Amino acid sequence: MPRTHKRILQVLADTFLLSLSFALAMLLRTESLAFVTDGKVWAALVAALPVTLILFVKLGFYRAVIRYMGLRALITIVNGVVASAMAVSGMIVWLHLPIPATVPVIYSVLAMCTVGGVRFALRAIYQRTHSRDKTRVIIYGAGQSGRQTVHSMAQGMEHSPVAFVDDNPDLWGTQIAGLRVFAPSELERLLRDYRAKVLLLAMPSVSRTVRAHILKRLEHLPIRVQTIPGMAELVTGKHRVNEITEVSVEDLLGRDPVPPDPALMAANLRGKSVMVTGAGGSIGAELCRQILRQKPEVLVLFEQSEYALFEIGLELAAARKAAGLDVRLVQVLGSVRDRARMEKLMRSHGVQTIYHAAAYKHVPMVEDNAVQGLANNLFGTLACAQAAVAAGVESFTLISTDKAVRPTNVMGASKRMAELVCQALAHGGGGTRFSMVRFGNVLGSSGSVIPLFRRQIAAGGPVTVTHREIMRYFMTIAEAAQLVIQASALAQGGKGGDVFLLDMGEPVKIAELAERMVRLSGFVPVIEGDAASRKAAAGADVIPVVFTAPRRGEKLFEELFIGTVSEPTRHPRILTATETSMDWGRLSVLLSALQAACDADDEADLRRVLADAPIGFAPRRAGVSPRSEAVVPAPAAVAPVTAVLQSGAAGG
């Protein structure tokens, strides 16, 4: 029905309800029907009706949609009915009508019950009818966010809140937003009584440590756990306050980031010309976002992928406009292996600070494309670093990885070689200050296991883990980028060639992480080879967790230290390590051998050279437990290189 027709229908209904209320008021007061035939009695109503209806129209009463009516509509009804009762009283006095003085009072009460009651009854019927198709939700957190969530859900079509749970004993047994508040200890009973399907965390302001503790207590419950966004996501605009999201892995890990040091964040960036290589990648893009906020004069985005460069360029341009920043953005397509072009770019834009994030980082992919992977990661770093020295760049920071420590794959070996290149150039007497920042996995990066687990759970499983004992360090992309920027600033007081290590917290067992993600999605994990988990899951919605063979080059445990000596810095989550390096004379022999293998596209020769290099490279085959793999022996073909390298492998 058109909206205009609905409004006309409401006016006619109100005319009838007001007339009925007046008639009932007269009947209740006089206890007689004699007034029905008395025209003077109805004269009061004839005068009151237009006043009431006109006031309803002026106050926008008929613009309100009945199923969304709330307190504001109730106030309008009260105002209109009170005005109507006053009009009746005025007519009684003015025309000396035979109507008792208490009739207007009774009339106003009845009119509020009929006009308002009918509408709110229709709203209740509508909501009750549609709530049958909604997902029943228990809300954990009866604070302001929880109350806002209840009101938001009442207007939506997907969720129906049925109860609150809160840790505050003072709230237990009370009613908030029409829902009773229970203790967390009653959750199991509530799930049975209310048949809830989702438990929603409505605590955006609590720390990740507290959220992780709560999630740990909820894991055993057979219910899907979701959340409203945290304060950081609300502030950045990533999510809205009433938006429901999946529980983040950051909440599971319970790691609260340390606020960045403003002085360190700005030291190499504020008012300077900055270049980020690999600007379209996960780490590179986040570095660009963080750098833009520090107001550099120029930000050069260097990227090999046209699409990735377009996307990050578009995002940064929008962020620059929204923040009113005067930063020149330069988007450049190209390869970091092109030294001449890199040097030309650095000179033309007066680059002072470089963050070298361009690299192939996906271990299995680089294992299958070893020559191209090493050429990009090692010789791309070499070309970029040499160009920086020639162009007089002040600061050059290499984004490294924990896989560079005693590497078992070509990706890790290539990054360790890149570290040696930067260390050798740092000790070569140039004006460029080199530093390296080494850290583990970042959450949400390309190739990360977390998005894969989410897709597998959404598809009904199985969730695949390569090994039962495999462990990894994790950190958010934003925190990693901030720490990289601050570490590069700490290098200003160093001797050059500093290796910085980020405190990644405690390593996480991937199988346990997979189990927790399955449980918090409302399913019961069935672990391959675990009869107890299969028995416990009988009759429940299950998702299998299966173990595939370890992939080629994969380690069970990642490390951040090559040696055993590390020192704290002024930042609590940044350490500096004293590690072995090579002088340029010895390193150049190794680089020449690797360059020859790349030029010949000879993967076997490349692997042999790496295995004989002083980087601890111990390659591992796919499907073989890392504990039992043997190192590939070095053939006679690379013996001359080996002899030169071993003459001083740990020098410098």
Side-chain angles (χ1 to χ4, degrees):
M1 186 183 294
R3 178 63 56 189
T4 303
H5 292 180
K6 290 182 180 180
R7 289 174 180 169
I8 293 173
L9 188 61
Q10 287 187 70
V11 171
L12 294 175
D14 286 343
T15 301
F16 170 75
L17 292 171
L18 290 170
S19 301
L20 178 63
S21 299
F22 181 79
L24 288 173
M26 286 294 297
L27 178 62
L28 290 172
R29 177 64 182 82
T30 62
E31 299 182 355
S32 169
L33 292 175
F35 70 89
V36 174
T37 57
D38 188 346
K40 291 183 179 180
V41 171
W42 295 106
L45 180 64
V46 170
L49 276 176
V51 173
T52 308
L53 296 175
I54 290 172
L55 190 59
F56 280 170
V57 171
K58 291 293 185 181
L59 294 175
F61 184 54
Y62 295 116
R63 291 196 298 269
V65 180
I66 290 178
R67 65 176 176 267
Y68 298 135
M69 290 183 69
L71 180 61
R72 189 171 181 179
L74 183 61
I75 293 173
T76 302
I77 293 172
V78 171
N79 290 336
V81 168
V82 169
S84 180
M86 291 175 65
V88 170
S89 298
M91 291 298 291
I92 292 172
V93 174
W94 184 38
L95 298 178
H96 303 288
L97 299 176
I99 299 174
T102 56
V103 165
V105 177
I106 301 172
Y107 161 71
S108 63
V109 173
L110 293 174
M112 278 188 267
C113 292
T114 54
V115 175
V118 167
R119 283 174 167 82
F120 283 99
L122 289 173
R123 189 190 74 162
I125 293 171
Y126 175 87
Q127 291 180 344
R128 187 175 183 85
T129 302
H130 285 75
S131 66
R132 297 171 185 169
D133 302 324
K134 292 183 177 181
T135 302
R136 299 169 73 82
V137 179
I138 294 175
I139 299 176
Y140 199 123
Q144 182 178 357
S145 298
R147 295 193 297 271
Q148 290 177 348
T149 302
V150 170
H151 295 310
S152 177
M153 287 182 172
Q155 312 302 327
M157 303 292 291
E158 297 179 359
H159 301 91
S160 175
V162 295
F164 275 118
V165 169
D166 200 278
D167 292 321
N168 185 356
D170 294 336
L171 297 179
W172 297 347
T174 61
Q175 292 270 343
I176 295 179
L179 301 178
R180 190 175 177 185
V181 183
F182 296 91
S185 59
E186 298 184 73
L187 266 171
E188 290 194 43
R189 180 183 63 81
L190 294 176
L191 297 185
R192 294 193 303 270
D193 293 349
Y194 288 102
R195 302 189 303 280
K197 299 297 182 183
V198 172
L199 181 62
L200 181 66
L201 297 182
M203 301 175 294
S205 60
V206 301
S207 67
R208 282 190 179 143
T209 303
V210 174
R211 290 169 75 89
H213 178 68
I214 292 172
L215 289 170
K216 190 72 175 176
R217 298 195 333 241
L218 301 177
E219 280 181 23
H220 71 284
L221 297 173
I223 189 170
R224 183 180 185 183
V225 180
Q226 292 184 294
T227 182
I228 63 173
M231 290 304 297
E233 295 165 314
L234 295 176
V235 170
T236 59
K238 184 178 179 181
H239 294 293
R240 297 185 299 275
V241 69
N242 60 344
E243 188 175 349
I244 296 177
T245 64
E246 298 298 325
V247 173
S248 69
V249 179
E250 294 94 318
D251 289 335
L252 290 179
L253 299 179
R255 176 184 169 97
D256 288 310
V258 174
D261 183 330
L264 291 177
M265 289 292 292
N268 285 339
L269 305 177
R270 185 69 51 84
K272 295 192 174 186
S273 179
V274 183
M275 173 184 280
V276 178
T277 68
S282 305
I283 295 295
E286 184 59 33
L287 279 169
C288 291
R289 297 183 191 105
Q290 300 284 347
I291 291 167
L292 184 67
R293 295 171 192 148
Q294 298 304 317
K295 303 177 182 178
E297 182 179 344
V298 182
L299 178 54
V300 181
L301 315 175
F302 193 90
E303 174 58 54
Q304 185 173 251
S305 165
E306 178 188 30
Y307 176 75
L309 183 61
F310 172 77
E311 285 291 303
I312 188 60
L314 203 64
E315 178 187 335
L316 294 178
R320 176 184 61 181
K321 182 178 180 181
L325 299 175
D326 184 21
V327 179
R328 183 161 62 92
L329 297 176
V330 181
Q331 302 176 57
V332 182
L333 277 172
S335 169
V336 290
R337 295 171 62 186
D338 188 343
R339 175 183 167 178
R341 184 152 190 264
M342 294 295 294
E343 183 179 341
K344 181 179 179 182
L345 281 171
M346 293 174 194
R347 290 185 183 277
S348 62
H349 295 292
V351 174
Q352 298 163 281
T353 302
I354 294 177
Y355 295 95
H356 181 52
Y360 293 140
K361 304 181 182 74
H362 197 271
V363 171
M365 190 70 71
V366 176
E367 285 300 297
D368 293 338
N369 300 272
V371 172
Q372 287 301 315
L374 183 130
N376 183 77
N377 293 357
L378 170 56
F379 293 109
T381 300
L382 176 63
C384 190
Q386 289 179 327
V389 173
V393 172
E394 296 173 6
S395 172
F396 183 102
T397 301
L398 169 68
I399 312 302
S400 191
T401 170
D402 56 358
K403 294 171 179 61
V405 178
R406 285 174 277 279
T408 59
N409 50 68
V410 173
M411 194 282 279
S414 67
K415 296 297 283 185
R416 177 56 186 147
M417 290 299 305
E419 289 181 354
L420 290 175
V421 164
C422 291
Q423 288 174 313
L425 290 174
H427 299 150
T432 302
R433 184 176 60 256
F434 285 90
S435 62
M436 292 131 278
V437 184
R438 189 186 294 156
F439 54 94
N441 298 281
V442 290
L443 298 169
S445 66
S446 58
S448 172
V449 72
I450 307 303
L452 174 62
F453 284 172
R454 291 203 188 280
R455 290 194 299 270
Q456 290 175 335
I457 292 170
V463 175
T464 57
V465 181
T466 57
H467 195 280
R468 191 181 298 271
E469 300 298 327
I470 195 166
M471 302 180 77
R472 290 291 181 267
Y473 291 101
F474 285 103
M475 177 182 287
T476 65
I477 295 180
E479 184 182 10
Q482 290 177 356
L483 291 176
V484 165
I485 292 171
Q486 293 172 92
S488 69
L490 290 171
Q492 289 183 350
K495 58 184 179 300
D498 299 281
V499 178
F500 293 102
L501 315 171
L502 304 188
D503 177 5
M504 303 289 293
E506 294 298 320
V508 177
K509 186 175 284 191
I510 301 301
E512 292 181 359
L513 179 62
E515 289 182 48
R516 297 187 71 187
M517 290 181 66
V518 169
R519 290 187 186 280
L520 292 171
S521 298
F523 301 97
V524 177
V526 175
I527 315 303
E528 180 183 8
D530 187 346
S533 69
R534 184 172 298 278
K535 183 178 180 180
D541 293 329
V542 303
I543 286 185
V545 177
V546 300
F547 299 102
T548 61
R551 297 176 297 184
R552 187 181 182 188
E554 189 169 47
K555 298 168 74 174
L556 287 188
F557 312 101
E558 299 291 2
E559 306 167 89
L560 289 173
F561 299 88
I562 290 177
T564 58
V565 180
S566 66
E567 298 177 1
T569 66
R570 58 183 278 192
H571 195 288
R573 288 195 176 166
I574 302 176
L575 303 173
T576 183
T578 302
E579 296 187 346
T580 58
S581 61
M582 299 176 65
D583 62 46
W584 188 254
R586 293 193 298 276
L587 182 60
S588 61
V589 177
L590 178 55
L591 293 175
S592 297
L594 290 170
Q595 184 67 67
C598 289
D599 292 342
D601 196 20
D602 190 339
E603 180 178 337
D605 189 37
L606 180 143
R607 289 181 178 276
R608 292 182 189 115
V609 176
L610 287 176
D612 213 47
I615 58 175
F617 179 51
R620 295 188 174 115
R621 300 190 301 272
V624 178
S625 172
R627 291 193 177 95
S628 61
E629 181 65 329
V631 177
V632 178
V638 295
V641 176
T642 303
V644 173
L645 295 175
Q646 290 180 342
S647 64

